[in-house]
């Protein structure tokens, strides 16, 4: 099951409000090479072992809007080698792609979305490569746009999606469903909407585990000169073998340009499951998602809020960012998995010369396993980076970092790293 707010936002854009202009191909790609020395490669409390960790990375971003095809994609691939085999050498890929077939404001469209995220196999364990896996969500959605008048439109859409895990195949699922959205344009910059969604979800690797999900929501969307926001509120419910589990659903997205600073905020309350989790969401700390614990297929109430403030021109040479998020997961059947996670991050960048910059960042993550004997976990990392622009395409960097991470309630591990890197951007 995927978050429903993007459906409303897409519908908002389709009507022509805030619709982007047709543009030419925009293509960017890059490569990087980093070599770090760690004094505790396995992040253990006793007998730490030092090692070198080498990483190569490739990334690509492309977008284009043609008459009958529009697409937007961005992917990052990396391969990490551990010199003393503290962990298994491996590659990882994450990113997103969206392709729309059909005229941008046409009667019929087919939208294909894909996301790949790094996810913790067990959120209660350390954020190590051995505890990481990749989750793919692929959705195909044909849509029919039926204008009722110059300011009213109904969108009918079907949906077929597949969730696949690289390691935890029991969490694989597929969704088959349909949506209907009615929109009324109040003006050139805002609109209201009513939507209904009905989905059947099946855990494909578990015999006879299916359930139904329904959502009725009312929305308001606006794009002003310095402020854009989307609001949606309604009721969502799951039903399985006659048993029902439901509650209030809401989605809020806001971005405000403060002239020299940008404030963004979001909040959500929704029912999801431990297959789809938070869908294509990204952890603001940059860490892998701790997205749904699994002792068997289950649904849970997900409550989420985040805010960030970016000072783009704090001074003539510096920028400053703050971010915060909190997420609660309350499970329908396995209450031992109830979890609360808080993330805090901040960074400060200072331009030393026209070619060099320095930055310092801080990331803290707190996890509380509310009904589990393992209690709570916390980690905090401070990172300092110096970057030098060799030319328009090549940058070199030098980095220092310190990580403090809980292993159990009574023990913790410390890791210090020093590294050199070079990257090429085209």
């Amino acid at each position: 099951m995927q978050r429903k707010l993007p459906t409303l936002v897409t519908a908002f854009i389709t009507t022509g409000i805030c619709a982007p202009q047709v543009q030419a191909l925009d293509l960017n790609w890059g490569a990087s090479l980093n070599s770090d020395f760690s004094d505790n490669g396995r992040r253990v409390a006793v007998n730490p072992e030092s090692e070198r960790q080498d990483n190569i990375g490739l990334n690509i971003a492309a977008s284009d809007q043609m008459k009958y095809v529009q697409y937007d994609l961005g992917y990052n691939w990396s391969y990490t080698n551990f010199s003393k085999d503290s962990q298994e050498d491996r590659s990882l890929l994450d990113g997103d792609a969206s392709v729309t077939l059909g005229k941008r404001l046409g009667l019929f469209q087919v939208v294909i979305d894909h996301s790949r995220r790094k996810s913790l196999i067990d959120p209660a364990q350390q954020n190590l490569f051995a505890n990481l896996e990749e989750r793919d969500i692929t959705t195909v959605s044909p849509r029919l746009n039926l204008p009722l008048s110059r300011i009213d439109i109904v969108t009918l859409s079907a949906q077929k999606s597949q969730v696949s895990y690289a390691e935890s195949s029991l969490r694989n699922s597929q969704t088959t469903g349909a949506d209907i959205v009615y929109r009324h344009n109040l003006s050139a910059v805002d609109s209201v909407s009513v939507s209904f969604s009905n989905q059947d979800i099946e855990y494909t690797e578990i015999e006879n585990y299916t359930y139904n999900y329904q959502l009725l929501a009312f929305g308001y969307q606006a794009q002003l000169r310095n402020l854009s926001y989307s609001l949606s509120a309604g009721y969502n419910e799951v039903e399985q073998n006659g048993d029902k589990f439901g509650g209030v659903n809401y989605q809020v997205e806001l971005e405000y340009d403060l002239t020299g600073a940008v404030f963004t905020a979001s909040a959500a309350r929704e029912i999801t499951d431990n297959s789809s989790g938070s869908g294509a969401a990204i952890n603001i700390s940059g860490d892998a998602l701790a997205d749904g614990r699994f002792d068997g297929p289950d649904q849970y109430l997900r409550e989420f809020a985040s805010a960030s403030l970016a000072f783009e021109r704090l001074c003539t040479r510096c920028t400053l960012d703050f971010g915060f998020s909190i997420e609660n997961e309350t499970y329908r059947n396995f209450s031992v998995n109830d979890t609360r996670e808080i993330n805090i991050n901040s960074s400060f960048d200072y331009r030393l010369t026209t070619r060099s910059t320095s930055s310092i960042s801080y990331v803290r993550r707190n996890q509380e396993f509310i009904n589990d004997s393992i209690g709570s976990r916390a980690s905090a990392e401070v990172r300092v980076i110096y970057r030098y622009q060799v030319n328009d395409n090549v940058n070199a960097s030098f980095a220092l970092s310190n990580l403090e991470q809980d292993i159990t309630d009574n023990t913790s591990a410390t890791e210090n790293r020093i590294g050199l890197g070079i990257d090429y951007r085209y």
Side-chain angles (χ1 to χ4, degrees):
M1 172 191 336
Q2 301 216 33
R3 299 171 64 189
K4 303 308 294 178
L5 182 60
T7 301
L8 297 176
V9 173
T10 301
F12 184 47
I13 294 174
T14 303
T15 64
I17 301 176
C18 314
Q21 299 298 314
V22 175
Q23 60 188 36
L25 171 65
D26 184 11
L27 175 64
N28 298 279
W29 64 273
S32 62
L33 174 63
N34 294 276
S35 184
D36 291 356
F37 179 82
S38 167
D39 68 353
N40 189 358
R42 294 182 294 122
R43 295 179 184 173
V44 293
V46 295
N47 299 322
E49 185 175 24
S50 301
E51 72 170 354
R52 193 185 74 251
Q53 300 177 3
D54 301 318
N55 175 277
I56 59 173
L58 298 172
N59 62 79
I60 185 171
S63 64
D64 200 358
Q65 294 189 22
M66 297 171 283
K67 186 174 182 180
Y68 294 105
V69 179
Q70 304 90 47
Y71 64 87
D72 190 356
L73 64 87
Y75 286 96
N76 298 284
W77 174 87
S78 65
Y79 179 82
T80 304
N81 172 267
F82 298 88
S83 64
K84 294 185 179 179
D85 298 324
S86 67
Q87 300 179 64
E88 182 180 353
D89 299 346
R90 66 180 296 184
S91 62
L92 291 169
L93 176 70
D94 65 89
D96 301 89
S98 180
V99 179
T100 300
L101 306 177
K103 281 188 175 182
R104 187 170 57 94
L105 303 178
L107 179 68
F108 180 75
Q109 298 169 324
V110 176
V111 180
I112 304 169
D113 293 315
H114 173 260
S115 72
R116 173 173 279 199
R117 294 286 181 267
K118 293 178 291 186
S119 178
L120 295 178
I121 298 173
D122 183 356
Q125 302 301 317
Q126 290 194 81
N127 184 10
L128 294 170
F129 271 56
N131 193 33
L132 290 181
E133 66 176 328
E134 295 154 312
R135 180 186 68 194
D136 290 275
I137 301 179
T138 305
T139 303
V140 178
S141 178
R143 298 176 182 177
L144 184 63
N145 302 306
L146 302 174
L148 305 180
S149 69
R150 185 176 58 85
I151 59 174
D152 298 280
I153 188 170
V154 172
T155 298
L156 306 173
S157 61
Q159 182 187 93
K160 185 74 172 182
S161 67
Q162 178 74 40
V163 182
S164 301
Y165 284 79
E167 303 291 337
S168 309
S169 60
L170 289 178
R171 300 176 71 170
N172 294 351
S173 69
Q174 66 178 18
T175 298
T176 304
D179 301 338
I180 180 171
V181 181
Y182 165 72
R183 291 176 308 284
H184 173 74
N185 296 341
L186 298 173
S187 71
V189 297
D190 65 344
S191 72
V192 293
S193 61
V194 181
S195 64
F196 176 74
S197 177
N198 183 77
Q199 300 175 355
D200 291 317
I201 295 92
E202 176 187 6
Y203 278 67
T204 55
E205 303 300 316
I206 299 177
E207 187 175 0
N208 297 324
Y209 192 93
T210 62
Y211 71 92
N212 176 261
Y213 171 85
Q214 292 185 349
L215 166 67
L216 175 64
F218 300 87
Y220 176 77
Q221 305 87 30
Q223 174 107 22
L224 308 178
R225 176 175 296 179
N226 296 320
L227 174 67
S228 62
Y229 56 95
S230 298
L231 312 173
S232 174
Y235 186 83
N236 60 170
E237 181 180 83
V238 300
E239 181 177 1
Q240 184 179 31
N241 300 324
D243 294 329
K244 296 183 178 180
F245 173 59
V248 172
N249 173 287
Y250 60 78
Q251 307 272 353
V252 179
E253 299 281 349
L254 179 147
E255 181 174 315
Y256 185 38
D257 187 343
L258 299 168
T259 308
V262 176
F263 174 75
T264 60
S266 65
R269 188 182 195 271
E270 61 183 353
I271 295 174
T272 184
D273 59 37
N274 54 5
S275 176
S276 292
S278 58
I282 299 174
N283 194 326
I284 67 167
S285 70
D287 286 338
L289 294 169
D291 206 14
R293 301 180 69 191
F294 189 86
D295 286 321
D298 203 357
Q299 299 86 42
Y300 64 90
L301 174 64
R302 176 177 179 266
E303 297 171 291
F304 173 83
S306 70
S308 66
L309 182 61
F311 293 94
E312 300 171 334
R313 295 188 297 272
L314 183 66
C315 68
T316 57
R317 291 173 174 261
C318 56
T319 63
L320 180 64
D321 298 325
F322 296 101
F324 169 84
S325 72
I326 182 170
E327 180 171 349
N328 294 321
E329 297 177 358
T330 305
Y331 285 77
R332 180 185 185 187
N333 297 309
F334 295 96
S335 61
V336 69
N337 289 332
D338 290 358
T339 307
R340 176 179 296 112
E341 179 177 330
I342 298 174
N343 287 283
I344 299 171
N345 69 288
S346 63
S347 64
F348 176 77
D349 287 23
Y350 187 82
R351 180 166 52 85
L352 300 170
T353 69
T354 56
R355 289 186 174 271
S356 63
T357 61
S358 62
S359 66
I360 182 170
S361 63
Y362 174 79
V363 176
R364 182 174 180 85
R365 184 179 197 172
N366 287 76
Q367 295 172 282
E368 181 183 357
F369 303 97
I370 299 169
N371 298 317
D372 197 317
S373 60
I374 60 177
S376 61
R377 299 286 185 271
S379 65
E381 182 177 25
V382 177
R383 188 173 179 84
V384 178
I385 304 176
Y386 171 79
R387 297 183 181 89
Y388 181 78
Q389 183 181 10
V390 180
N391 57 41
D392 290 343
N393 303 106
V394 178
N395 292 275
S397 62
F398 171 74
L400 298 169
S401 67
N402 170 266
L403 172 69
E404 300 281 346
Q405 187 172 48
D406 289 343
I407 300 175
T408 68
D409 281 344
N410 300 315
T411 60
S412 62
T414 299
E415 181 189 25
N416 296 294
R417 300 171 70 94
I418 182 172
L420 294 171
I422 187 168
D423 64 82
Y424 176 85
R425 296 288 183 270
Y426 178 78

